[in-house]
Amino acid sequence: LSSLCTNLTNPGVSYHSKTGLVAGGISDSDGRDADHKLRDAFRAGNFPESFDVTNIQPAGPNAASADVAISGPKFPSPVTQNLTFVNQGGWAISPQSAQALVQAATG
């Protein structure tokens, strides 16, 4: 799950290559918006970031929630988000959690 978060927030990779990381895919408008925010955060020195996943709990059929602590050069202390992941033949992040993750990563 940590590498899923890292891959989703990679500012050097277009959302087109990340669509399988989000349950149901990524819409063009959300993808363009996320790419823009991630590139701006990269230019501002927010990266590299790391993700520490703890407290993994069942969250319904084929789903789990976890606390994800985000650390990076611009964070005085880790920022923790509770995110939901979906097993769809491989783990993906829920659309709402993907938006929360990008927002937290780009501060």
Side-chain angles (χ1 to χ4, degrees):
L1 298 180
S2 176
S3 64
L4 174 65
C5 294
T6 300
N7 292 336
L8 184 64
T9 59
N10 185 337
V13 176
S14 166
Y15 80 92
H16 293 288
S17 299
K18 300 175 184 178
T19 194
L21 302 176
V22 178
I26 303 171
S27 73
D28 285 337
S29 62
D30 287 344
R32 284 191 301 273
D33 184 53
D35 280 355
H36 177 74
K37 288 178 180 176
L38 289 166
R39 284 191 304 271
D40 284 350
F42 176 79
R43 285 191 287 274
N46 286 23
F47 290 88
E49 294 180 340
S50 62
F51 303 90
D52 184 28
V53 179
T54 59
N55 195 29
I56 300 170
Q57 301 289 323
N62 298 319
S65 67
D67 293 331
V68 178
I70 306 165
S71 300
K74 294 288 185 166
F75 294 101
S77 61
V79 174
T80 302
Q81 296 276 325
N82 185 269
L83 303 177
T84 302
F85 299 88
V86 180
N87 187 344
Q88 50 183 32
W91 287 101
I93 192 168
S94 75
Q96 298 84 358
S97 289
Q99 289 178 347
L101 179 63
V102 169
Q103 183 175 358
T106 58

